[in-house]
Amino acid sequence: MLAKPGFTWAHRGGSASWPESSLHAYTQSVARGYGVLEVSLARTSDGVWFGLHDQTTDRTSGGTYGNASSQTWAQIQAQQIVVGPRDAPQPYMRWEELLAAYGSTHVLVVDPKYALGLYRTEFLNMVYHDVGPSRAIIKYSGVGSGAAGLSIAAQTLGFETWGFYYATDASAAQGGDGALQTWGNNWTLLGMEHGASQAVWDEVLAFGRPVIGHIAATQTGYNNAMAKGASGVQVSGVAAVTP
């Protein structure tokens, strides 16, 4: 992946194209030609890891269900993902389903989201055992000691790690709070929003590491990130952006 300039990876399987984090979305992304699949995971009260970006299933299920960590997998299975411009609803996807379908053929970019605090070791051991450092990247927001700790622990296991940032994280000279400069060195790969100024992009490029633009919903967004110096782009509009 890293040797191919302009690589694309599918954000939540194509969150602007299909029901996010569903196996259906990942299958569509693979059919479209995407070789890299990004997934955020939640952990149920009975220890099942499954695809979910949020702390709760309220937005994706369209109801009032509460924190995923307080629900059993049986409760999650009784819900469906109703967000997405096409092909909704879809069932929630276990980590094992993604593995069985694409774990041996695609690069997986994996984020523990709200489970990080309590289950960092369990999460890293799981990804290490199930996929391994040659096919998986550990991802998290690039800011904070917890994020840095995740990245350092993942690198110790041999993983590449991706810390993603926004224009507000740039230096004070660019109107930011300096988080990029404080925490950026903890990651082997960096990310910046494609709409940030070239001056902000120059700051992240100055770390000398591959920078992945995010999150492109259109071909124009992808082109914008590449023009600013991205090595690749995280794409939500998988159906609209050439792989």
Side-chain angles (χ1 to χ4, degrees), residues 8-38 86-87 98 102 106-107 235-243:
T8 51
W9 69 45
H11 176 255
R12 304 181 210 166
S15 58
S17 298
W18 302 285
E20 62 182 69
S21 304
S22 66
L23 185 61
H24 176 75
Y26 291 103
T27 299
Q28 299 307 308
S29 295
V30 169
R32 177 90 170 121
Y34 276 64
V36 188
L37 308 174
E38 184 268 348
R86 66 190 81 178
D87 301 341
L98 183 63
Y102 306 116
H106 288 66
V107 174
V235 177
S236 60
V238 170
V241 178
T242 303

Short mmCIF file of all heavy atoms in Angstrom, two decimals, residues 8-38 86-87 98 102 106-107 235-243:
data_model
loop_
_atom_site.label_atom_id
_atom_site.label_comp_id
_atom_site.label_asym_id
_atom_site.label_seq_id
_atom_site.Cartn_x
_atom_site.Cartn_y
_atom_site.Cartn_z
N THR A 8 -6.11 4.47 -1.92
CA THR A 8 -7.37 4.83 -1.26
C THR A 8 -7.72 3.77 -0.22
O THR A 8 -7.46 2.59 -0.41
CB THR A 8 -8.52 4.90 -2.28
OG1 THR A 8 -8.56 3.70 -3.05
CG2 THR A 8 -8.35 6.09 -3.21
N TRP A 9 -8.34 4.24 0.88
CA TRP A 9 -8.94 3.26 1.77
C TRP A 9 -10.36 3.68 2.11
O TRP A 9 -10.72 4.85 2.10
CB TRP A 9 -8.09 2.95 2.98
CG TRP A 9 -7.86 3.94 4.07
CD1 TRP A 9 -8.75 4.75 4.68
CD2 TRP A 9 -6.60 4.13 4.76
NE1 TRP A 9 -8.15 5.44 5.71
CE2 TRP A 9 -6.84 5.08 5.77
CE3 TRP A 9 -5.33 3.58 4.64
CZ2 TRP A 9 -5.82 5.52 6.64
CZ3 TRP A 9 -4.33 4.01 5.51
CH2 TRP A 9 -4.58 4.96 6.48
N ALA A 10 -11.21 2.68 2.35
CA ALA A 10 -12.65 2.88 2.49
C ALA A 10 -13.02 3.19 3.93
O ALA A 10 -12.93 2.33 4.80
CB ALA A 10 -13.40 1.65 2.00
N HIS A 11 -13.43 4.42 4.19
CA HIS A 11 -13.84 4.89 5.52
C HIS A 11 -15.16 4.24 5.93
O HIS A 11 -16.19 4.44 5.31
CB HIS A 11 -13.99 6.41 5.47
CG HIS A 11 -14.50 7.02 6.73
ND1 HIS A 11 -15.79 7.47 6.88
CD2 HIS A 11 -13.87 7.28 7.91
CE1 HIS A 11 -15.95 7.99 8.08
NE2 HIS A 11 -14.80 7.88 8.73
N ARG A 12 -15.09 3.40 6.98
CA ARG A 12 -16.26 2.64 7.46
C ARG A 12 -16.91 1.84 6.33
O ARG A 12 -18.12 1.62 6.32
CB ARG A 12 -17.29 3.56 8.11
CG ARG A 12 -16.75 4.40 9.26
CD ARG A 12 -17.84 5.26 9.88
NE ARG A 12 -17.29 6.48 10.43
CZ ARG A 12 -17.98 7.55 10.79
NH1 ARG A 12 -19.30 7.54 10.69
NH2 ARG A 12 -17.38 8.62 11.26
N GLY A 13 -16.11 1.41 5.38
CA GLY A 13 -16.63 0.67 4.25
C GLY A 13 -17.25 1.53 3.17
O GLY A 13 -17.77 1.00 2.19
N GLY A 14 -17.17 2.84 3.34
CA GLY A 14 -17.80 3.76 2.39
C GLY A 14 -19.01 4.41 3.02
O GLY A 14 -20.15 4.22 2.58
N SER A 15 -18.77 5.20 4.07
CA SER A 15 -19.86 5.73 4.90
C SER A 15 -20.76 6.70 4.16
O SER A 15 -21.90 6.92 4.58
CB SER A 15 -19.28 6.41 6.15
OG SER A 15 -18.39 7.46 5.78
N ALA A 16 -20.29 7.30 3.07
CA ALA A 16 -21.13 8.20 2.29
C ALA A 16 -21.79 7.49 1.11
O ALA A 16 -22.48 8.12 0.31
CB ALA A 16 -20.30 9.39 1.77
N SER A 17 -21.60 6.18 1.03
CA SER A 17 -22.16 5.41 -0.08
C SER A 17 -23.13 4.32 0.36
O SER A 17 -24.13 4.08 -0.33
CB SER A 17 -21.02 4.78 -0.90
OG SER A 17 -20.17 5.77 -1.45
N TRP A 18 -22.83 3.64 1.48
CA TRP A 18 -23.65 2.52 1.93
C TRP A 18 -23.79 2.57 3.46
O TRP A 18 -23.14 3.39 4.12
CB TRP A 18 -23.01 1.21 1.51
CG TRP A 18 -22.81 1.10 0.04
CD1 TRP A 18 -23.78 0.85 -0.90
CD2 TRP A 18 -21.58 1.27 -0.69
NE1 TRP A 18 -23.22 0.86 -2.16
CE2 TRP A 18 -21.87 1.11 -2.06
CE3 TRP A 18 -20.26 1.54 -0.31
CZ2 TRP A 18 -20.91 1.20 -3.05
CZ3 TRP A 18 -19.29 1.64 -1.30
CH2 TRP A 18 -19.62 1.47 -2.65
N PRO A 19 -24.62 1.72 4.05
CA PRO A 19 -24.74 1.69 5.51
C PRO A 19 -23.38 1.44 6.17
O PRO A 19 -22.76 0.40 5.95
CB PRO A 19 -25.71 0.53 5.76
CG PRO A 19 -26.55 0.48 4.52
CD PRO A 19 -25.59 0.80 3.41
N GLU A 20 -22.92 2.39 6.93
CA GLU A 20 -21.55 2.39 7.42
C GLU A 20 -21.25 1.20 8.32
O GLU A 20 -22.09 0.76 9.11
CB GLU A 20 -21.25 3.68 8.18
CG GLU A 20 -22.10 3.91 9.41
CD GLU A 20 -21.77 5.24 10.08
OE1 GLU A 20 -22.08 6.29 9.50
OE2 GLU A 20 -21.22 5.20 11.20
N SER A 21 -20.05 0.69 8.17
CA SER A 21 -19.52 -0.38 9.01
C SER A 21 -20.28 -1.70 8.88
O SER A 21 -20.14 -2.59 9.72
CB SER A 21 -19.49 0.05 10.49
OG SER A 21 -18.75 1.24 10.65
N SER A 22 -21.08 -1.83 7.84
CA SER A 22 -21.76 -3.10 7.59
C SER A 22 -20.90 -3.96 6.66
O SER A 22 -20.12 -3.44 5.86
CB SER A 22 -23.13 -2.86 6.94
OG SER A 22 -22.98 -2.29 5.64
N LEU A 23 -21.06 -5.25 6.76
CA LEU A 23 -20.33 -6.14 5.85
C LEU A 23 -20.72 -5.85 4.41
O LEU A 23 -19.88 -5.93 3.50
CB LEU A 23 -20.60 -7.60 6.21
CG LEU A 23 -19.79 -8.62 5.39
CD1 LEU A 23 -18.28 -8.43 5.59
CD2 LEU A 23 -20.20 -10.04 5.77
N HIS A 24 -21.97 -5.46 4.20
CA HIS A 24 -22.42 -5.09 2.85
C HIS A 24 -21.58 -3.94 2.30
O HIS A 24 -21.16 -3.97 1.13
CB HIS A 24 -23.89 -4.70 2.89
CG HIS A 24 -24.41 -4.21 1.57
ND1 HIS A 24 -24.69 -5.06 0.52
CD2 HIS A 24 -24.71 -2.95 1.14
CE1 HIS A 24 -25.14 -4.35 -0.50
NE2 HIS A 24 -25.15 -3.07 -0.17
N ALA A 25 -21.32 -2.92 3.12
CA ALA A 25 -20.53 -1.77 2.67
C ALA A 25 -19.12 -2.21 2.30
O ALA A 25 -18.59 -1.80 1.25
CB ALA A 25 -20.49 -0.71 3.76
N TYR A 26 -18.50 -3.02 3.13
CA TYR A 26 -17.14 -3.47 2.83
C TYR A 26 -17.12 -4.32 1.55
O TYR A 26 -16.19 -4.22 0.75
CB TYR A 26 -16.56 -4.24 4.01
CG TYR A 26 -16.29 -3.33 5.18
CD1 TYR A 26 -17.14 -3.30 6.28
CD2 TYR A 26 -15.20 -2.46 5.18
CE1 TYR A 26 -16.91 -2.45 7.35
CE2 TYR A 26 -14.96 -1.59 6.24
CZ TYR A 26 -15.83 -1.59 7.31
OH TYR A 26 -15.61 -0.72 8.36
N THR A 27 -18.14 -5.12 1.35
CA THR A 27 -18.22 -5.94 0.14
C THR A 27 -18.33 -5.06 -1.10
O THR A 27 -17.69 -5.33 -2.12
CB THR A 27 -19.42 -6.90 0.24
OG1 THR A 27 -19.23 -7.76 1.36
CG2 THR A 27 -19.54 -7.74 -1.03
N GLN A 28 -19.12 -4.00 -0.99
CA GLN A 28 -19.23 -3.07 -2.12
C GLN A 28 -17.91 -2.36 -2.38
O GLN A 28 -17.52 -2.13 -3.54
CB GLN A 28 -20.34 -2.04 -1.85
CG GLN A 28 -21.71 -2.63 -1.66
CD GLN A 28 -22.13 -3.53 -2.80
OE1 GLN A 28 -22.07 -3.15 -3.97
NE2 GLN A 28 -22.56 -4.74 -2.46
N SER A 29 -17.19 -1.98 -1.33
CA SER A 29 -15.90 -1.32 -1.49
C SER A 29 -14.88 -2.23 -2.16
O SER A 29 -14.12 -1.81 -3.03
CB SER A 29 -15.37 -0.87 -0.12
OG SER A 29 -16.20 0.12 0.44
N VAL A 30 -14.88 -3.49 -1.76
CA VAL A 30 -13.98 -4.46 -2.38
C VAL A 30 -14.33 -4.65 -3.85
O VAL A 30 -13.45 -4.68 -4.72
CB VAL A 30 -14.03 -5.79 -1.62
CG1 VAL A 30 -13.31 -6.89 -2.39
CG2 VAL A 30 -13.41 -5.63 -0.23
N ALA A 31 -15.61 -4.74 -4.15
CA ALA A 31 -16.04 -4.89 -5.54
C ALA A 31 -15.65 -3.67 -6.37
O ALA A 31 -15.37 -3.79 -7.57
CB ALA A 31 -17.55 -5.11 -5.60
N ARG A 32 -15.59 -2.53 -5.73
CA ARG A 32 -15.22 -1.28 -6.41
C ARG A 32 -13.72 -1.23 -6.68
O ARG A 32 -13.26 -0.45 -7.50
CB ARG A 32 -15.63 -0.11 -5.52
CG ARG A 32 -15.26 1.26 -6.01
CD ARG A 32 -16.35 1.86 -6.89
NE ARG A 32 -16.06 3.26 -7.14
CZ ARG A 32 -15.90 3.78 -8.34
NH1 ARG A 32 -16.00 3.03 -9.42
NH2 ARG A 32 -15.65 5.06 -8.49
N GLY A 33 -12.94 -2.06 -5.98
CA GLY A 33 -11.50 -2.12 -6.20
C GLY A 33 -10.66 -1.56 -5.09
O GLY A 33 -9.44 -1.39 -5.24
N TYR A 34 -11.26 -1.27 -3.94
CA TYR A 34 -10.52 -0.74 -2.79
C TYR A 34 -9.77 -1.88 -2.09
O TYR A 34 -10.37 -2.90 -1.74
CB TYR A 34 -11.47 -0.06 -1.82
CG TYR A 34 -11.77 1.38 -2.20
CD1 TYR A 34 -12.44 1.68 -3.37
CD2 TYR A 34 -11.36 2.43 -1.39
CE1 TYR A 34 -12.71 2.99 -3.74
CE2 TYR A 34 -11.63 3.75 -1.74
CZ TYR A 34 -12.31 4.02 -2.92
OH TYR A 34 -12.57 5.33 -3.27
N GLY A 35 -8.49 -1.68 -1.88
CA GLY A 35 -7.67 -2.70 -1.25
C GLY A 35 -7.44 -2.49 0.24
O GLY A 35 -6.85 -3.33 0.90
N VAL A 36 -7.92 -1.34 0.76
CA VAL A 36 -7.70 -1.00 2.17
C VAL A 36 -9.05 -0.66 2.79
O VAL A 36 -9.81 0.14 2.25
CB VAL A 36 -6.74 0.20 2.32
CG1 VAL A 36 -6.38 0.42 3.78
CG2 VAL A 36 -5.48 -0.01 1.49
N LEU A 37 -9.35 -1.28 3.93
CA LEU A 37 -10.65 -1.13 4.57
C LEU A 37 -10.46 -0.61 5.99
O LEU A 37 -9.77 -1.22 6.80
CB LEU A 37 -11.37 -2.48 4.61
CG LEU A 37 -11.49 -3.22 3.26
CD1 LEU A 37 -12.10 -4.60 3.48
CD2 LEU A 37 -12.29 -2.41 2.26
N GLU A 38 -11.06 0.54 6.28
CA GLU A 38 -10.97 1.13 7.61
C GLU A 38 -12.20 0.76 8.42
O GLU A 38 -13.33 0.79 7.92
CB GLU A 38 -10.87 2.66 7.49
CG GLU A 38 -10.67 3.39 8.81
CD GLU A 38 -11.96 3.84 9.47
OE1 GLU A 38 -13.03 3.81 8.82
OE2 GLU A 38 -11.91 4.21 10.65
N ARG A 86 -27.86 4.35 0.43
CA ARG A 86 -28.42 3.26 -0.36
C ARG A 86 -28.25 1.93 0.37
O ARG A 86 -27.36 1.77 1.19
CB ARG A 86 -27.76 3.18 -1.75
CG ARG A 86 -26.29 2.81 -1.71
CD ARG A 86 -25.62 2.98 -3.05
NE ARG A 86 -25.27 4.37 -3.29
CZ ARG A 86 -24.64 4.81 -4.37
NH1 ARG A 86 -24.31 3.99 -5.32
NH2 ARG A 86 -24.36 6.08 -4.50
N ASP A 87 -29.15 1.01 0.10
CA ASP A 87 -29.08 -0.38 0.57
C ASP A 87 -29.27 -0.54 2.07
O ASP A 87 -28.88 -1.57 2.63
CB ASP A 87 -27.75 -1.03 0.15
CG ASP A 87 -27.55 -1.03 -1.35
OD1 ASP A 87 -28.55 -0.89 -2.07
OD2 ASP A 87 -26.40 -1.16 -1.79
N LEU A 98 -15.69 -9.56 9.22
CA LEU A 98 -14.76 -8.83 8.35
C LEU A 98 -13.50 -9.64 8.11
O LEU A 98 -12.99 -9.71 6.98
CB LEU A 98 -14.43 -7.47 8.97
CG LEU A 98 -13.53 -6.55 8.13
CD1 LEU A 98 -14.22 -6.17 6.83
CD2 LEU A 98 -13.15 -5.30 8.93
N TYR A 102 -12.26 -10.66 4.42
CA TYR A 102 -11.20 -9.88 3.80
C TYR A 102 -9.91 -9.78 4.61
O TYR A 102 -8.97 -9.12 4.19
CB TYR A 102 -11.72 -8.46 3.50
CG TYR A 102 -12.98 -8.47 2.69
CD1 TYR A 102 -14.18 -7.99 3.20
CD2 TYR A 102 -12.99 -9.04 1.41
CE1 TYR A 102 -15.34 -8.05 2.47
CE2 TYR A 102 -14.15 -9.10 0.66
CZ TYR A 102 -15.33 -8.60 1.19
OH TYR A 102 -16.49 -8.67 0.45
N HIS A 106 -6.92 -8.09 2.24
CA HIS A 106 -6.93 -6.63 2.25
C HIS A 106 -6.18 -6.10 3.47
O HIS A 106 -6.00 -6.79 4.46
CB HIS A 106 -8.37 -6.11 2.26
CG HIS A 106 -9.06 -6.30 0.94
ND1 HIS A 106 -9.35 -7.54 0.44
CD2 HIS A 106 -9.50 -5.40 0.03
CE1 HIS A 106 -9.95 -7.41 -0.73
NE2 HIS A 106 -10.04 -6.12 -1.02
N VAL A 107 -5.74 -4.86 3.35
CA VAL A 107 -5.17 -4.16 4.50
C VAL A 107 -6.32 -3.62 5.35
O VAL A 107 -7.26 -3.02 4.81
CB VAL A 107 -4.26 -3.00 4.05
CG1 VAL A 107 -3.78 -2.19 5.26
CG2 VAL A 107 -3.07 -3.54 3.27
N VAL A 235 -11.40 7.58 2.13
CA VAL A 235 -12.55 7.96 1.30
C VAL A 235 -13.86 7.47 1.92
O VAL A 235 -14.00 6.29 2.24
CB VAL A 235 -12.38 7.37 -0.11
CG1 VAL A 235 -13.60 7.68 -0.97
CG2 VAL A 235 -11.12 7.90 -0.77
N SER A 236 -14.81 8.38 2.08
CA SER A 236 -16.15 8.00 2.50
C SER A 236 -17.04 7.74 1.30
O SER A 236 -17.88 6.85 1.31
CB SER A 236 -16.76 9.08 3.39
OG SER A 236 -16.85 10.32 2.71
N GLY A 237 -16.86 8.52 0.22
CA GLY A 237 -17.67 8.37 -0.98
C GLY A 237 -17.07 7.34 -1.92
O GLY A 237 -16.67 7.68 -3.06
N VAL A 238 -16.99 6.11 -1.47
CA VAL A 238 -16.33 5.06 -2.23
C VAL A 238 -16.95 4.88 -3.62
O VAL A 238 -16.26 4.63 -4.61
CB VAL A 238 -16.33 3.75 -1.44
CG1 VAL A 238 -15.85 2.59 -2.29
CG2 VAL A 238 -15.44 3.88 -0.20
N ALA A 239 -18.27 5.02 -3.70
CA ALA A 239 -18.95 4.85 -4.98
C ALA A 239 -18.60 5.96 -5.96
O ALA A 239 -18.79 5.79 -7.17
CB ALA A 239 -20.47 4.79 -4.77
N ALA A 240 -18.09 7.08 -5.46
CA ALA A 240 -17.81 8.24 -6.31
C ALA A 240 -16.34 8.47 -6.60
O ALA A 240 -16.00 9.23 -7.50
CB ALA A 240 -18.39 9.50 -5.64
N VAL A 241 -15.46 7.83 -5.84
CA VAL A 241 -14.02 8.11 -5.95
C VAL A 241 -13.30 6.90 -6.54
O VAL A 241 -13.40 5.78 -6.02
CB VAL A 241 -13.42 8.47 -4.58
CG1 VAL A 241 -11.92 8.72 -4.71
CG2 VAL A 241 -14.11 9.71 -4.01
N THR A 242 -12.57 7.12 -7.60
CA THR A 242 -11.84 6.06 -8.27
C THR A 242 -10.86 5.40 -7.33
O THR A 242 -10.08 6.10 -6.68
CB THR A 242 -11.09 6.62 -9.49
OG1 THR A 242 -12.03 7.25 -10.35
CG2 THR A 242 -10.36 5.51 -10.24
N PRO A 243 -10.85 4.08 -7.22
CA PRO A 243 -9.90 3.42 -6.31
C PRO A 243 -8.46 3.54 -6.80
O PRO A 243 -8.23 3.67 -7.99
CB PRO A 243 -10.36 1.97 -6.32
CG PRO A 243 -11.06 1.80 -7.62
CD PRO A 243 -11.72 3.11 -7.91
#
